[in-house]
Amino acid sequence: MPYVKIEITREGATPDQKARLIEGVTDLLARELNKNPATTVVVIDEVDLDNWGIGGLPVTQFRRQLQATRDRQAG
Amino acid sequence: MPYVKIEITREGATPDQKARLIEGVTDLLARELNKNPATTVVVIDEVDLDNWGIGGLPVTQFRRQLQATRDRQAG
Amino acid sequence: MPYVKIEITREGATPDQKARLIEGVTDLLARELNKNPATTVVVIDEVDLDNWGIGGLPVTQFRRQLQATRDRQAG
Amino acid sequence: MPYVKIEITREGATPDQKARLIEGVTDLLARELNKNPATTVVVIDEVDLDNWGIGGLPVTQFRRQLQATRDRQAG
Amino acid sequence: MPYVKIEITREGATPDQKARLIEGVTDLLARELNKNPATTVVVIDEVDLDNWGIGGLPVTQFRRQLQATRDRQAG
Amino acid sequence: MPYVKIEITREGATPDQKARLIEGVTDLLARELNKNPATTVVVIDEVDLDNWGIGGLPVTQFRRQLQATRDRQAG
């Protein structure tokens, strides 16, 4: 009967990968807390990159900035 | 002032059906808890079938499996 | 298989009132969208008044302000 | 490490506006609660108008009704 | 950078069990989607039994009813 | 009419701090997206430390580990 929401950036997760997330989380809850898989609900929410912020920036800018920092350190 | 989120699989709910969900939930909260309809927010989230898991499987596979079981029992 | 989250301020909803919310939402989804009640999950989240904001204010202050406005208009 | 979800109706918010929401919420949490911006996650969820209810109506109808009331009062 | 919310009924999950849920979900996202564990957030929400509905009933009543059905079938 | 959920670890945020979060987020949405403050809902969810995971660990262990790393680097 648990409910699990997984929020990730929308970057091409395949149906197979999503199926393995669903299976993996359901198994985990059965194994650790003895939850019934038959009534475990898992919802995956894929979020557009513009709509996901981290470090005060949209994730695309955040990654660019991170890469620039690494390039400078390596340069 | 309540907030209600309804998550369903995306399977063609019509605008009219969604309007009746919004009206029904708002009325329910007014009737049972005396909540003010004017500030009751209802958000409907339609989730792609690949992104909804139940019984450890994406819902499409889950339904196929359920149907196969029924067919065997009936067969 | 729907999942519904109801967020309300914590103000003494009784177990009976919560049971009627659960029943009412489940019935509504069965009636309007033909959803199976057996797998409809409803979660009620009661939120402390300090943690609920509306109109830019915690709800307790918001109500006080609203009352003051009404008193002035009536006075 | 905070997580913030912002739900708004889908009405053409631009990437720049969304970037400013992400920056503004992250700054607010750093300033008021000393939360580390580097691990603050902000997710913006844009909801179709048919799927957003207020006052017991889908938001498009709600606004039409509000406008009609104002027109009558002004007329 | 994923965010995962796990909602379960409040029935005495221990800190160790919760730590294993956090570890398990984080590992799963790293393994299946190559997500960085350092920025994966997992939030566990334990919900009072009165506030969790399934099959149109608060979960305590739902289980009692399920048990009664089984007893009758076995009796 | 926006809805905002802020999830933070439960570590003694005061009512005043929470009021400033509510005010700040509401102002931000009015300023950037012209959203009506009167119907902006902000909900703050304070999560127990055992129930918040980051980096595959409950946050308390995560911080201890981070501190140990820093101590070693400084030592």
Side-chain angles (χ1 to χ4, degrees):
Chain A
M1 220 174 35
Y3 167 85
V4 180
K5 166 70 80 78
I6 300 175
E7 299 189 2
I8 52 175
T9 42
R10 187 189 305 282
E11 302 183 78
T14 65
D16 274 5
Q17 287 176 316
K18 293 192 266 192
R20 286 198 296 272
L21 286 188
I22 289 166
E23 187 188 11
V25 168
T26 307
D27 287 356
L28 181 68
L29 283 159
R31 195 169 61 238
E32 297 300 344
L33 291 182
N34 203 27
K35 294 294 181 187
N36 182 3
T39 54
T40 296
V41 173
V42 181
V43 173
I44 300 171
D45 192 1
E46 296 176 273
V47 176
D48 289 343
L49 291 170
D50 279 348
N51 290 11
W52 191 292
I54 174 83
L57 294 170
V59 66
T60 319
Q61 285 179 243
F62 177 80
R63 287 175 182 166
R64 220 156 29 213
Q65 198 180 75
L66 204 67
Q67 192 52 49
T69 306
R70 282 177 185 153
D71 289 353
R72 265 199 309 279
Q73 289 173 344
Chain B
M1 217 174 37
Y3 167 84
V4 180
K5 166 71 81 80
I6 300 175
E7 299 189 1
I8 52 175
T9 43
R10 187 189 305 280
E11 302 182 79
T14 66
D16 274 3
Q17 287 176 316
K18 293 192 267 193
R20 285 199 296 271
L21 286 187
I22 289 166
E23 186 188 12
V25 169
T26 306
D27 286 356
L28 181 69
L29 284 159
R31 194 170 61 240
E32 296 301 343
L33 292 181
N34 202 27
K35 295 294 183 186
N36 182 3
T39 54
T40 296
V41 173
V42 181
V43 173
I44 300 170
D45 192 1
E46 296 176 274
V47 176
D48 289 344
L49 291 169
D50 279 348
N51 290 11
W52 191 292
I54 175 82
L57 293 170
V59 66
T60 319
Q61 285 179 244
F62 177 80
R63 288 176 182 166
R64 221 156 28 214
Q65 199 180 77
L66 204 67
Q67 192 54 48
T69 307
R70 282 177 185 154
D71 289 353
R72 263 199 310 279
Q73 289 175 343
Chain C
M1 216 175 38
Y3 165 84
V4 180
K5 166 71 79 79
I6 300 174
E7 300 189 1
I8 51 174
T9 42
R10 187 189 305 281
E11 303 183 78
T14 65
D16 274 4
Q17 286 176 316
K18 294 193 266 192
R20 285 198 296 270
L21 286 188
I22 290 167
E23 186 188 13
V25 170
T26 307
D27 286 356
L28 181 68
L29 284 158
R31 194 169 62 239
E32 296 300 344
L33 291 180
N34 202 26
K35 295 294 182 187
N36 183 2
T39 54
T40 295
V41 173
V42 181
V43 173
I44 300 169
D45 193 1
E46 296 175 274
V47 176
D48 289 343
L49 292 171
D50 279 348
N51 290 11
W52 191 292
I54 175 81
L57 294 170
V59 66
T60 318
Q61 285 178 244
F62 177 79
R63 287 174 182 167
R64 219 155 30 211
Q65 199 179 76
L66 203 68
Q67 193 53 48
T69 307
R70 283 177 184 152
D71 289 353
R72 264 199 308 278
Q73 290 174 341
Chain D
M1 217 175 35
Y3 166 84
V4 180
K5 168 70 79 79
I6 300 175
E7 300 189 3
I8 51 175
T9 43
R10 188 189 305 281
E11 302 183 80
T14 65
D16 274 4
Q17 287 176 316
K18 293 192 266 192
R20 285 198 296 270
L21 285 188
I22 290 167
E23 187 189 12
V25 169
T26 307
D27 287 356
L28 181 69
L29 284 158
R31 194 169 61 239
E32 297 300 344
L33 290 181
N34 203 26
K35 294 295 182 186
N36 182 2
T39 53
T40 296
V41 173
V42 181
V43 173
I44 300 170
D45 193 359
E46 296 176 274
V47 176
D48 289 343
L49 291 170
D50 278 349
N51 289 10
W52 191 292
I54 174 82
L57 294 170
V59 66
T60 319
Q61 284 179 245
F62 177 79
R63 288 177 182 165
R64 219 153 34 211
Q65 198 181 77
L66 204 67
Q67 192 53 48
T69 307
R70 283 178 183 153
D71 289 353
R72 264 199 310 278
Q73 290 174 341
Chain E
M1 217 175 35
Y3 166 84
V4 180
K5 166 70 79 81
I6 300 174
E7 299 189 4
I8 51 174
T9 42
R10 188 189 304 282
E11 302 184 78
T14 65
D16 274 5
Q17 287 176 316
K18 294 192 265 192
R20 286 198 296 271
L21 286 188
I22 289 166
E23 186 188 12
V25 169
T26 306
D27 287 356
L28 180 69
L29 284 158
R31 194 168 63 239
E32 296 301 343
L33 291 181
N34 203 28
K35 294 294 182 188
N36 182 3
T39 53
T40 295
V41 172
V42 181
V43 173
I44 300 169
D45 192 0
E46 296 175 275
V47 176
D48 290 342
L49 292 169
D50 278 348
N51 289 11
W52 192 291
I54 175 81
L57 294 170
V59 67
T60 318
Q61 284 178 246
F62 177 79
R63 288 175 182 165
R64 217 152 35 208
Q65 197 180 77
L66 204 68
Q67 194 51 50
T69 307
R70 284 178 184 151
D71 288 353
R72 263 199 310 278
Q73 288 173 342
Chain F
M1 217 174 37
Y3 167 84
V4 180
K5 167 70 81 78
I6 300 174
E7 298 189 2
I8 52 175
T9 43
R10 189 189 304 281
E11 303 183 78
T14 65
D16 274 3
Q17 287 176 316
K18 293 192 267 192
R20 284 198 297 272
L21 286 187
I22 289 166
E23 186 188 12
V25 169
T26 307
D27 286 355
L28 181 68
L29 284 159
R31 195 168 61 239
E32 297 300 343
L33 292 181
N34 202 28
K35 294 294 183 188
N36 182 2
T39 53
T40 296
V41 173
V42 181
V43 173
I44 301 169
D45 192 1
E46 297 176 272
V47 176
D48 290 344
L49 291 169
D50 278 349
N51 289 12
W52 192 292
I54 175 83
L57 293 170
V59 67
T60 318
Q61 283 178 247
F62 177 80
R63 288 176 182 165
R64 217 153 34 210
Q65 199 181 75
L66 203 69
Q67 193 52 49
T69 307
R70 284 179 183 150
D71 290 352
R72 265 198 309 279
Q73 289 175 341

